[in-house]
Structures are given as structure tokens and as C-alpha cells.
Amino acid sequence: MVRNGKQYLNSLKDNRCIYVNGEKVQDVTSHPAFRGISESFARLYDLAADPSNDMIYTTEDGTTANKVFMIPRSREDLAVRRRAIAKWADATCGFAGRSPDHVAAFLAGFASYPDVFGEYRQNVLDFYQYARDEDLFVTYVIIPPQVDRSKAAHEQEEKYLPVGVLEERKDGIVVRGSQMLGTSAAVSNYLFVSCITPLRPGDEDYAISFVLPIDTPGLKLYPRPTYATGKESIFDYPLSTQFDESDSLVVFDDVFIPWKHVFTYKNIEATRAQFHETPAHVLGNNQAQIRLSTKLKFTIGVARKITAMGGTDKFPQVQERLGELASLAATVEGMLLASEYECTVDKNGTARPNARFLYGIVGMQDQIYAGVIKILRELVGGGVLQLPSSYHEMVNPETKDDIRQYIRASGVDSEARIQLYRLAWDIIGSEFAGRHQQYEMFYNGAPFVVRGHAYRNYGYHEPLEMVDRFLGSYTVPKALLKEV
């Protein structure tokens, strides 16, 4: 089943426990903090359900499903999957980092390499099939809370700060603690819970992976302040009102998990291997780079349109900055396509994007996005600061004539100019904008972590062989050898 937007929104009307401003949220689909993003995700489901958009495929089991759940078996499959993911990224302008396709990629990676999960392999396969066939929105929390980052999980001052096993029962386990960052968790159906940060001997109680419905008793979400609430119109805050995913601290207050939903259990090696020995991490980051490429295209489109509106695109110095933006966006897109073209097929028959090119660009993502935002700031200048407080000044009889007279561009009316500059501000200056810059810096971990992926996956044997071959092509002078 590929569900539509209405079915998705109906699936959110349950007993989930979410607190915003000290009050329990009764319905995420109507609450100001989540209404915009849930409606945006509903539009993604409508888009996928429309056969004309070519996002439906026949699975290996003979069912039909959303292509975001595909297990790619060839370079061609990776291209098909990329085009499907890009359709969703286009619909959110690349500003929805945890749309339903992200963890769908991880689940596909898990299911393509189930032996990593040992005795729980069938649980992984069963849940993947269930999530795929029901077109579920699964998100994750895989980072422990930042209480004392110098200590291992079992060394914290209290045992259950990170989520860990409290009790083992015949029919399942009980977990207690918390985990972060819960992006989009408030508007998802299921949560995948694990730990991607390195675990040490003694951390076995925290070396677990499991899934659970968002409305599971004892599961509580505490989202950060919302950037959608208080924004009166899409015109004034076009991104904040539609694409604020929310990020949540997730608390497990003695939550029961049946064995069928357990993927790893008190196994440090399997908990690590699920991400890096299966294709899960590389497929998940492939989705993230498809989204980032779209986001950069959209952002430089805003820059190009603003400079054309003001006539500055004719200045050589502005063309130079636009050229820098073009180079950055092309680099991300080119590395994405290179990782696809140079893919490998593992022993289980899964096509994996080439890690050299994929992680090479992931390792530069924080610098690239920050650089794009810096250039866009320079190109828009003070224009984003000289805007009316809201659209009301544009319609109020007492103020509208001033706005139309003084906030416009040559050949462009005030409404079009204000609309474009409002969009630019929501990319570079609003709370939403600040969160996105932080997100692109840390969504995959601290900079040293992501560059570590690039270091490990580059394949240094090739450049080292080149150097050794050259060094071996000539001999050390005999006179020098005598001196030695």
C-alpha cells in the first residue's frame, strides 16, 4: 500500500504524549507547532500515491510500495531511487531533513544485510516488510543525551540517563532513560531507537536497537521551541510555517518493548555493525545528499533571482560570488552522481553508493552550507532588514501606499520584492534559518566524526601506491649512500 496524505494525517491521531509549553498536545495535526509540517508531509504522501509521479515499485515480495523503501540491486536501481527521493526533496525545497525517506533508507539497508543482527534477523526483516507495505513514517533517536560526554554510558552519575535495559521479561524488555534528537518524531508513526556513538565494554545494557509506535505508553516527547508557532502567514515566513520539523528529547519512562521489535540486545558489536557493516549508513547518507543537493539548488536560485531583481547580477564582483555558489552546488551534485556511478554491489547483492565520493562530500557539508549562507547574506545585503513587519502593512489602507512606493525594485512591484526577500530571510536570518545551519553542521555528528568517515572510506592505498611507484622509479645517488 502506498498511502495518501489523508491516511497519513489520520495515522497521527492517537495517544502520543508530547509536551509543548507545559501542555500536552491533543492533536499534532491541528496544533500550531506541528500543523504546517504534518500538512507538508501529507503532500509528500499524496505526491507518491499519484502514479503519474512514478514513485511506486513492485517489491521483491510482489507487493507495491513507495520507492523510498527500495533495496537497490544495481546502478540503475540507485538512479531510480534517487529520482524518487529527489521528487520529495523538490517538494520541500530540501528543507525537510527527516522526511519519511530518511529512515526508510536505513531500514532497507538493515533488511538487505540481516545476518548482522544474529538471532534477531527475522525481526528486522519482518518490520522492514511491515513498514514498507504499510508505508509507515519511521524516524529515529540514536544519540545519548549530552550530560557528561567525557564518560561512557555506564559511567554516568545515574544509570538510566541514556536509554538502557531496565528489565528482561519472557515477552520482551523494559527500557528506561532518554535519547535525542528526535527530528520529526512528533509527526511520525514509529521510532527506531539505538546508539550510533561508540560504546565501550561495560555499556552492554545500552547496546540495544528496537522500534516502537510513537503512542507507546511511557514514551514522552519534549520538542524544542517551535519556529512555526506565532508566524501568522506563509507569506511572511514561507519556510518556517511549512517545514519546521521539530527536534525532541525522547524520554522512556519504563517502556515495554516486545521481543518482535528488538533488533540488537546487549551486543556492542552488533549495535555498531548495524550501521556500518550493512548498507544502512551509506544509503541513509545518500538520501541526505540528494536532499542537500536540492537545497543548495534552491538557495542559489534565490540568490540569482535577488541579484537579477536588483540589477547587481551585471556586476563582475557579483557574478564571481554567484559563480562560487554554482561551484559549491555542482560539487555536491557531482559527488552524489559519482557515488552512484561508481557504486559497488556487496555479497548480498545490494548496490551501495561509492563511499569515497559519498563521504568525501559529507565531510565538507558543514563548510559548504555555511559558505553558501555567507555568500547569500552578502548578496541580499540590507534589503532583508528593510521589510514591513508583516503583510498587514501591505493591505492596511493607512500604510499600503508607502509600502508600494518605497519597497520595490525596477520593474518589480512591492509584493514580489517583499515575497522574495522574506524567503531569503527565512533561509539566512530567522530562527528556522539558524536551526538549519546548525543542522547541516551536526546532523551526521561532530565535524571530526564526519571527516573520519571520509578518512576511512577514501581508499588511501591508491595514492600511496602512486607515491611508492614513483619513489621506486629512481635510485638514491651512490655518493649519498657513501656518506650515510
Side-chain angles (χ1 to χ4, degrees):
M1 180 187 76
V2 177
R3 61 181 176 178
N4 60 33
K6 183 178 180 180
Q7 291 168 323
Y8 160 69
L9 291 174
N10 286 337
S11 75
L12 303 180
K13 298 177 185 291
D14 52 27
N15 295 317
R16 60 191 60 206
C17 186
I18 304 170
Y19 290 92
V20 174
N21 295 327
E23 296 182 354
K24 185 177 178 181
V25 175
Q26 298 303 313
D27 181 358
V28 293
T29 66
S30 60
H31 191 281
F34 310 109
R35 183 175 58 242
I37 187 63
S38 61
E39 290 176 352
S40 294
F41 285 149
R43 288 192 290 272
L44 298 189
Y45 280 106
D46 280 336
L47 190 154
D50 183 347
S52 67
N53 290 315
D54 195 25
M55 287 191 65
I56 301 172
Y57 79 112
T58 301
T59 73
E60 295 169 333
D61 302 314
T63 59
T64 57
N66 191 326
K67 285 180 179 176
V68 302
F69 284 98
M70 280 185 68
I71 297 176
R73 300 298 185 182
S74 65
R75 180 195 296 166
E76 290 71 24
D77 280 354
L78 283 172
V80 166
R81 176 178 175 272
R82 169 174 49 80
R83 288 191 288 269
I85 291 170
K87 284 187 171 69
W88 271 9
D90 287 346
T92 63
C93 309
F95 280 91
R98 289 291 183 268
S99 48
D101 45 348
H102 185 68
V103 176
F106 277 80
L107 294 175
F110 293 160
S112 74
Y113 224 79
D115 289 348
V116 165
F117 297 90
E119 62 185 295
Y120 302 102
R121 69 185 307 277
Q122 195 60 45
N123 292 353
V124 172
L125 293 171
D126 289 345
F127 183 77
Y128 164 71
Q129 182 175 337
Y130 172 63
R132 179 198 67 192
D133 291 349
E134 295 298 319
D135 207 5
L136 297 180
F137 185 176
V138 184
T139 189
Y140 58 30
V141 283
I142 53 177
I143 303 293
Q146 297 180 349
V147 178
D148 187 342
R149 299 171 71 185
S150 70
K151 295 179 179 178
H154 74 280
E155 296 171 340
Q156 299 293 324
E157 59 186 33
E158 297 175 26
K159 182 170 184 180
Y160 295 104
L161 291 175
V163 64
V165 178
L166 175 69
E167 181 184 354
E168 180 180 326
R169 298 180 184 175
K170 184 176 181 181
D171 54 349
I173 60 175
V174 177
V175 297
R176 177 186 291 178
S178 64
Q179 212 77 337
M180 50 185 281
L181 204 48
T183 303
S184 289
V187 293
S188 65
N189 301 124
Y190 267 75
L191 193 64
F192 170 70
V193 183
S194 192
C195 185
I196 199 170
T197 57
L199 296 169
R200 308 176 195 171
D203 286 341
E204 284 77 11
D205 283 347
Y206 309 94
I208 51 178
S209 297
F210 56 88
V211 291
L212 75 167
I214 297 295
D215 67 343
T216 300
L219 185 67
K220 296 181 286 188
L221 274 63
Y222 295 95
R224 57 156 169 77
T226 171
Y227 307 140
T229 302
K231 306 298 189 296
E232 192 170 348
S233 72
I234 292 178
F235 184 88
D236 290 325
Y237 289 93
L239 302 177
S240 299
T241 53
Q242 298 186 82
F243 305 132
D244 183 23
E245 304 167 277
S246 81
D247 308 285
S248 299
L249 174 70
V250 180
V251 172
F252 302 82
D253 189 4
D254 296 0
V255 176
F256 174 72
I257 311 296
W259 284 118
K260 70 175 183 178
H261 282 164
V262 174
F263 291 0
T264 70
Y265 183 64
K266 293 188 177 183
N267 188 325
I268 292 174
E269 177 55 31
T271 301
R272 183 203 65 79
Q274 68 183 334
F275 295 112
H276 300 295
E277 291 186 19
T278 76
H281 200 263
V282 73
L283 289 178
N285 276 280
N286 177 245
Q287 179 275 338
Q289 292 306 303
I290 297 169
R291 176 201 59 81
L292 178 64
S293 180
T294 299
K295 187 177 186 178
L296 295 182
K297 287 181 186 178
F298 182 80
T299 302
I300 69 172
V302 171
R304 186 70 179 85
K305 195 172 182 66
I306 280 180
T307 56
M309 181 179 288
T312 59
D313 60 336
K314 300 177 181 63
F315 301 163
Q317 64 270 34
V318 171
Q319 293 175 0
E320 178 190 15
R321 299 303 266 164
L322 290 171
E324 288 184 54
L325 290 178
S327 295
L328 291 170
T331 298
V332 173
E333 184 177 18
M335 293 284 270
L336 170 67
L337 295 175
S339 71
E340 178 184 301
Y341 186 81
E342 294 289 340
C343 68
T344 59
V345 178
D346 65 28
K347 65 180 183 180
N348 283 11
T350 304
R352 303 188 184 202
N354 189 292
R356 170 187 287 188
F357 303 111
L358 182 69
Y359 291 114
I361 201 64
V362 168
M364 297 173 61
Q365 182 167 334
D366 60 329
Q367 299 174 63
I368 288 175
Y369 191 72
V372 167
I373 295 302
K374 182 178 184 296
I375 294 171
L376 181 57
R377 283 182 177 277
E378 294 174 5
L379 294 176
V380 301
V384 289
L385 304 178
Q386 194 58 71
L387 295 172
S389 61
S390 75
Y391 75 92
H392 288 289
E393 278 88 327
M394 301 170 64
V395 297
N396 184 339
E398 298 177 9
T399 58
K400 64 180 183 179
D401 290 340
D402 286 341
I403 301 303
R404 288 173 179 171
Q405 174 70 11
Y406 298 112
I407 305 181
R408 58 189 173 91
S410 179
V412 179
D413 63 24
S414 62
E415 181 177 319
R417 185 184 188 280
I418 293 170
Q419 183 183 31
L420 180 58
Y421 274 75
R422 281 287 191 193
L423 173 57
W425 181 250
D426 225 4
I427 295 174
I428 66 172
S430 66
E431 286 184 302
F432 178 90
R435 181 264 180 189
H436 267 264
Q437 186 154 353
Q438 200 74 1
Y439 177 85
E440 299 298 355
M441 288 179 66
F442 291 103
Y443 94 90
N444 210 352
F448 79 91
V449 173
V450 294
R451 292 187 184 111
H453 293 319
Y455 168 76
R456 288 186 294 275
N457 287 283
Y458 178 77
Y460 279 97
H461 62 281
E462 292 181 29
L464 289 174
E465 287 171 3
M466 291 176 65
V467 173
D468 288 342
R469 187 165 58 249
F470 181 73
L471 289 173
S473 68
Y474 58 91
T475 58
V476 178
K478 293 181 178 179
L480 184 60
L481 289 175
K482 290 179 180 180
E483 291 179 9
V484 174

